[in-house]
Amino acid sequence: MNLANYTHAVGAGQSFLQFSKTVVGKEGVGALYKGLSAGVTRQIFYASSRFGLFEVYRDAWARHYEMDFFGRLVVGVLSGASAAFISCPAEVTLVRMSNDSALPVEQRRNYKGLVNAATRIASEEGIAAFWRGSMPFVNRAMVVGALQVGTYDQLKISYRNWGITGFYNVFCASMTSGFIYSLVTMPLESAKNRMAFQKPDANGVLPYRTTIQTVLSVARSEGVLSLWSGFLPYYGRCGGHTVSMFIALEQIRSLYLKARQQ
């Protein structure tokens, strides 16, 4: 939706449900899952490295400083930035594959799959193209890393004080955490998509160069609210992912602790 508005493609300006109906009617249900292989690959690199590095950075921080709320925010920022930089090639491939149909027919790249998209990007545009939108992705990941860990831990305590415990405590805390970071990071997500998906003009100049310049340019030309275009599906993705992630994390941690006690 965000890139459809940018490219003025079919479905631009529609609501989430209208846009979904347009896509299904035009390309079939399978179009809703375009870029799934790249999305899974992205999560393999991004999620695993983010949580793995968080543990490493947290232990390193704890050896020198107290691991309080501020410390968790710092560790979340560092692990998020590192994971984003590592997984940027998968992120760019995901954006290209899932949004190629938003372009006019004559401008589409028509990628055949994950490997085809990745090899074509590398051969046609150079390896550096994988990190063309790295700064907004890294910036967003830093914010997500801090907000997810910090707000989730705090909200678990708050919901517990309100009498919500167990599974529902994790669910409510993670859904609220997902909403907060979705709201804050949506402009960065929009900037990341614009930078990763852009094409040079007739003079070979790219319209978007930095995160701030992209956000300000979009806000001036399309209005501030355009930065949150497609928020509902974005929150659906982020909220659902956050809930699944923290529920799985809590279960794995519980099983690990029980195994250590035996």
Side-chain angles (χ1 to χ4, degrees):
M1 288 180 64
N2 187 272
L3 286 175
N5 291 334
Y6 165 46
T7 58
H8 306 290
V10 175
Q14 294 182 343
S15 67
F16 171 54
L17 293 178
Q18 291 173 329
F19 184 81
S20 299
K21 184 178 179 180
T22 299
V23 171
V24 172
K26 185 177 178 62
E27 304 177 46
V29 176
L32 298 175
Y33 296 90
K34 282 186 177 179
L36 179 61
S37 58
V40 171
T41 303
R42 171 191 180 274
Q43 287 303 322
I44 290 174
F45 284 98
Y46 178 61
S48 60
S49 58
R50 184 157 67 97
F51 282 108
L53 290 173
F54 179 84
E55 300 287 337
V56 174
Y57 293 164
R58 183 195 63 189
D59 293 344
W61 179 278
R63 286 196 293 268
H64 302 282
Y65 309 99
E66 180 183 356
M67 181 47 66
D68 53 9
F69 177 68
F70 174 75
R72 289 182 180 276
L73 292 180
V74 172
V75 170
V77 166
L78 294 176
S79 60
S82 301
F85 188 80
I86 292 170
S87 60
C88 208
E91 177 70 17
V92 171
T93 305
L94 167 64
V95 171
R96 295 287 188 88
M97 288 181 63
S98 59
N99 295 289
D100 193 51
S101 59
L103 286 171
V105 176
E106 66 277 6
Q107 296 183 24
R108 293 178 186 176
R109 298 177 175 93
N110 297 314
Y111 297 123
K112 295 180 175 62
L114 173 63
V115 176
N116 174 259
T119 54
R120 281 185 54 189
I121 292 171
S123 61
E124 295 172 6
E125 305 174 48
I127 298 296
F130 285 121
W131 283 271
R132 182 177 295 159
S134 62
M135 284 314 299
F137 183 33
V138 170
N139 292 340
R140 172 188 172 278
M142 291 167 67
V143 176
V144 170
L147 290 179
Q148 270 191 322
V149 175
T151 60
Y152 174 71
D153 284 349
Q154 181 59 48
L155 287 166
K156 281 184 66 179
I157 298 173
S158 299
Y159 280 116
R160 189 180 301 119
N161 292 337
W162 298 333
I164 302 175
T165 59
F167 171 82
Y168 295 105
N169 177 272
V170 176
F171 178 83
C172 292
S174 56
M175 278 298 288
T176 308
S177 173
F179 176 79
I180 293 172
Y181 94 73
S182 297
L183 190 66
V184 174
T185 62
M186 185 68 198
L188 299 177
E189 176 77 5
S190 299
K192 179 206 71 178
N193 288 342
R194 300 292 182 102
M195 293 183 71
F197 203 60
Q198 66 184 324
K199 286 187 173 182
D201 58 22
N203 298 319
V205 178
L206 293 172
Y208 303 120
R209 297 177 298 279
T210 66
T211 305
I212 298 300
Q213 181 264 337
T214 301
V215 169
L216 293 177
S217 177
V218 172
R220 282 195 298 264
S221 61
E222 303 176 32
V224 174
L225 293 181
S226 66
L227 294 169
W228 282 271
S229 175
F231 177 77
L232 183 59
Y234 180 64
Y235 172 55
R237 187 191 80 184
C238 294
H241 172 256
T242 303
V243 170
S244 302
M245 178 180 64
F246 280 121
I247 288 177
L249 184 63
E250 295 292 348
Q251 291 298 316
I252 293 172
R253 180 181 287 115
S254 177
L255 292 173
Y256 173 73
L257 293 176
K258 288 180 180 178
R260 288 195 61 182
Q261 293 173 358
Q262 293 178 352

